[in-house]
Amino acid sequence: MNIFIGKGNLVADPERRVTQSGKDMVSFRVAVERAYKDKDGKRLVDFFSCVAFNFTALSIEKYFKKGSPIVFRGPIYQDTYVDKNNIKRTQYTVYVEGFDFCGGKTESSKANIDIEVPPPDDEDLPWEV
């Protein structure tokens, strides 16, 4: 089972795009502190690229900005590529299927949250209607 759950802070505002098939998409990066400190007493930080689609994407774009804390979950995939200096790099991307608000009150969390969750299509339900 491939499920990643992380808690961190956005390092930049989410960037919204529309896919070729017309789906809304946002991409963003999250800094996640490790649970332990290094020998100098500093907490190490890992950076994860994240992508969300459709309703999840629009919600993240609306309620999160640079520095916002977020709990996010979804499958994680490893990509390797060669950078402009011909060095092999590895990047981990989380395809965010869900998220939760966390942390203290921010300007966006003080607003009335008016998220409307659309009902699932009948074919998405695991039982007959």
Side-chain angles (χ1 to χ4, degrees):
M1 180 179 297
N2 182 358
I3 299 291
F4 177 86
I5 300 172
K7 178 184 177 197
N9 295 76
L10 275 69
V11 298
D13 291 342
E15 294 180 22
R16 182 176 176 216
R17 294 187 294 273
V18 177
T19 66
Q20 290 179 346
S21 62
K23 291 182 179 182
D24 292 304
M25 179 182 106
V26 295
S27 58
F28 56 99
R29 288 180 42 91
V30 179
V32 177
E33 282 189 347
R34 294 187 185 181
Y36 56 88
K37 297 178 182 179
D38 67 8
K39 63 182 179 185
D40 298 324
K42 291 184 179 181
R43 287 209 187 268
L44 298 176
V45 177
D46 295 304
F47 295 90
F48 293 91
S49 296
C50 298
V51 177
F53 295 93
N54 301 323
F55 179 75
T56 303
L58 296 176
S59 298
I60 289 171
E61 178 192 32
K62 183 173 182 178
Y63 295 107
F64 294 88
K65 61 182 179 181
K66 179 179 180 178
S68 297
I70 187 172
V71 174
F72 59 104
R73 62 190 169 280
I76 187 169
Y77 297 96
Q78 177 182 337
D79 300 311
T80 56
Y81 63 96
V82 178
D83 71 9
K84 63 183 178 185
N85 297 321
N86 208 25
I87 298 172
K88 187 176 180 180
R89 302 282 184 183
T90 300
Q91 173 178 306
Y92 294 93
T93 303
V94 178
Y95 287 79
V96 178
E97 294 175 343
F99 67 91
D100 290 304
F101 297 93
C102 63
K105 289 190 175 194
T106 62
E107 289 303 313
S108 64
S109 68
K110 291 177 188 174
N112 290 331
I113 298 175
D114 57 355
I115 298 174
E116 293 183 22
V117 178
D121 293 333
D122 289 343
E123 56 230 23
D124 292 337
L125 298 175
W127 61 86
E128 288 189 34
V129 179

